[in-house]
Amino acid sequence: KRPLTLLDCRETAEYTDELGHIADTILIPLGEVPGRVAEVPTGKPIVSICRSGKRALRAAQALKAAGRTDIWVLTGGMLAWNEAGLPVER
């Protein structure tokens, strides 16, 4: 089991587009993050992910505003993940 929570904050259609997604991520589109914070598991660090990193930063800010801590942003997002040749699911 992964020692952290991966939160993908892209839109649903992007989750399965050409960039794919990282296995075992939780998909909560950015606009829904503030109302769905309770769905993000507690007790582990959170890594926020989007296409390039900008929305992931906003999602991290929303989580922090809701009292969550230990939140990281995947720099470069799925673009950088794919460029590095790391595994994805579609």
Side-chain angles (χ1 to χ4, degrees):
K1 199 164 184 178
R2 191 172 273 147
L4 46 85
T5 296
L6 300 177
L7 172 67
D8 194 318
C9 64
R10 295 176 295 161
E11 295 300 316
T12 304
E14 293 175 280
Y15 195 68
T16 55
D17 70 6
E18 71 278 357
L19 293 177
H21 60 272
I22 301 168
D24 301 321
T25 54
I26 297 171
L27 175 64
I28 303 177
L30 176 60
E32 300 174 21
V33 170
R36 296 177 61 187
V37 172
E39 295 176 40
V40 181
T42 58
K44 311 191 260 192
I46 301 164
V47 177
S48 183
I49 304 163
C50 68
R51 183 176 187 276
S52 66
K54 293 177 183 161
R55 284 179 283 177
L57 178 60
R58 290 173 41 207
Q61 291 168 337
L63 290 167
K64 286 181 182 179
R68 301 301 294 274
T69 59
D70 206 5
I71 304 164
W72 300 83
V73 174
L74 180 64
T75 302
M78 288 304 297
L79 290 171
W81 186 272
N82 277 265
E83 189 175 306
L86 297 167
V88 297
E89 294 182 350
R90 290 185 171 78

